[in-house]
Amino acid sequence: MRSPRAPSPCRGSTPCSRATGTPALAATRAPAPGGLAHPGDTLVQRLAAELDAELVPMGSAGFKAAAVVRGEADAYVHTGGQYEWDSAAPVAVARAAGLFASRVDGRPLEYNNANPYLPDLVVCNPLIADELLGRVASILEEDAR
């Protein structure tokens, strides 16, 4: 099992996957011209701005979670909805690698439900989980006002 990365000088005790010290968030690939982005993309863009993070466009949920496992991204935050089968295996691999995974509000991810829709998830290095969830909560609270 892989242990969390050591603290990085780029953010005090917050690790960064980039040699430049800029945190990286796995993000949905840009939509085709005239296409629609996922509804959660706005939250991820705002989170990246708050964290001064780079959005790294990639494909599937599994590929994004694997990027966090490999250390190519610090977090994968998804709020556009998906089904349990989209994230069950990637989350299991991430957890086996020692990473943090939950709903964006910090509640546990639950699988094998009658309704397989899963509205959101976070996969990240456990050293940044509290900060990441706090920032997401602030953005969601701001949106609720």
Side-chain angles (χ1 to χ4, degrees):
M1 177 162 31
R2 185 177 148 192
S3 62
R5 284 176 271 151
S8 165
C10 67
R11 291 266 189 225
S13 63
T14 303
C16 297
S17 61
R18 301 282 183 205
T20 62
T22 302
L25 297 179
T28 301
R29 284 181 281 190
L36 298 175
H38 286 271
D41 287 351
T42 303
L43 179 132
V44 174
Q45 290 168 351
R46 290 171 57 195
L47 180 62
E50 281 200 21
L51 295 171
D52 194 27
E54 176 186 358
L55 290 173
V56 182
M58 4 186 120
S60 69
F63 194 81
K64 292 174 190 129
V68 181
V69 170
R70 291 189 308 266
E72 296 167 3
D74 295 293
Y76 167 39
V77 178
H78 182 82
T79 58
Q82 54 189 216
Y83 291 97
E84 292 176 353
W85 52 80
D86 294 315
S87 67
V91 164
V93 170
R95 286 179 173 161
L99 297 175
F100 173 85
S102 77
R103 300 275 311 272
V104 296
D105 62 4
R107 287 183 295 154
L109 292 164
E110 295 180 3
Y111 292 97
N112 202 26
N113 295 301
N115 179 356
Y117 183 74
L118 184 66
D120 54 65
L121 72 98
V122 172
V123 175
C124 68
N125 184 307
L127 297 174
I128 66 170
D130 288 340
E131 177 183 3
L132 196 66
L133 292 174
R135 300 280 182 116
V136 169
S138 294
I139 292 169
L140 293 174
E141 286 173 19
E142 186 178 300
D143 287 351
R145 288 185 225 150

